[in-house]
């Protein structure tokens, strides 16, 4: 693998760790704290902590998306179903961050005008969807294969792999699973 390709892959993983780490932080840690915090603690966290954490969250998403696009361009010949499905999940998650979560979080945190409770609910739902999408997206990323000594890309292979991926995707995006998290 050439140095530039390696640096883009490494950057993609590093940005992805930042993005998904912040996603899990919001959904599994900060949300619980916000429910239990005193009025003073909640106001302080919304004024100081949340905006900073959201900055890292959305720019981690941007870095992941941009390096992912660069890798897709580099991998055009070696594309497989796993890469395509993973890229679709990643793109949906990226769009959720920039078009739904961030605009609604600005309202929920009082940084923009609007109905804060409704905006918070929209942001939470999109964020929960991203948590659900992160598992099949990561599965696809790991199953897609990696360059092996200049001999092309070796993908995780199994019979009927597309059927398995679709079942996993449907499980993670079903309303029943979504109801469990919300």
């Amino acid at each position: 693998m050439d140095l530039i390709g390696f640096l883009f892959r490494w950057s993609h993983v590093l940005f992805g760790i930042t993005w998904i780490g912040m996603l899990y932080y919001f959904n599994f840690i900060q949300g619980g704290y916000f429910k239990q915090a005193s009025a003073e603690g909640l106001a302080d966290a919304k004024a100081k902590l949340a905006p900073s954490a959201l900055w890292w969250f959305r720019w981690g998403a941007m870095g992941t998306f941009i390096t992912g696009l660069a890798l897709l361009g580099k991998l055009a010949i070696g594309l497989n179903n796993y890469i395509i499905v993973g890229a679709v999940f990643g793109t949906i998650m990226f769009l959720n961050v920039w078009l739904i979560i961030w605009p609604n979080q600005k309202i929920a945190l009082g940084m923009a005008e609007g109905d804060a409770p409704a905006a918070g609910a929209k942001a939470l739902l999109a964020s929960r969807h991203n948590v659900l999408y992160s598992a099949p997206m990561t599965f696809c990323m790991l199953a897609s294969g990696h360059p092996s000594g200049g001999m092309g890309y070796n993908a995780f292979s199994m019979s009927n792999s597309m059927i398995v991926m679709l079942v996993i995707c449907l499980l993670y995006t079903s309303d029943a699973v979504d109801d469990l998290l919300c």
Side-chain angles (χ1 to χ4, degrees):
M1 176 188 326
D2 64 83
L3 179 61
I4 299 298
F6 171 79
L7 290 175
F8 270 98
R9 184 177 299 273
W10 178 81
S11 296
H12 184 65
V13 170
L14 188 61
F15 283 123
I17 289 168
T18 301
W19 176 18
I20 301 305
M22 294 305 297
L23 174 70
Y24 289 1
Y25 162 78
F26 288 129
N27 281 275
F28 299 121
I29 298 168
Q30 183 175 286
Y33 171 76
F34 277 16
K35 290 177 186 174
Q36 299 173 359
S38 66
E40 182 180 292
L42 181 60
D44 189 55
K46 284 184 174 182
K48 297 175 187 166
L49 177 65
S52 176
L54 283 163
W55 186 92
W56 284 99
F57 173 67
R58 68 182 186 276
W59 289 106
M62 181 66 76
T64 306
F65 185 73
I66 289 171
T67 55
L69 285 178
L71 289 170
L72 277 176
K74 185 170 178 53
L75 300 175
I77 296 173
L79 286 180
N80 60 49
N81 291 336
Y82 291 111
I83 293 172
I84 294 166
V85 172
V88 167
F89 271 109
T91 300
I92 291 168
M93 292 168 67
F94 169 77
L95 293 173
N96 274 347
V97 169
W98 282 93
L99 301 179
I100 300 171
I101 297 170
W102 174 236
N104 283 291
Q105 280 293 2
K106 287 192 293 188
I107 295 168
L109 294 173
M111 299 164 66
E113 293 295 319
D115 181 359
K122 284 181 187 176
L124 176 63
L125 185 60
S127 186
R128 292 289 168 90
H129 281 130
N130 276 6
V131 167
L132 294 174
Y133 297 157
S134 70
M137 184 270 311
T138 304
F139 173 83
C140 290
M141 183 174 123
L142 295 174
S144 68
H146 300 282
S148 59
M151 299 180 64
Y153 285 81
N154 295 326
F156 173 74
S157 61
M158 65 170 66
S159 59
N160 303 317
S161 62
M162 277 306 288
I163 293 170
V164 171
M165 283 192 322
L166 289 173
V167 168
I168 290 170
C169 294
L170 289 174
L171 285 174
Y172 278 101
T173 59
S174 72
D175 288 336
V177 174
D178 191 42
D179 289 343
L180 288 175
L181 289 176
C182 292

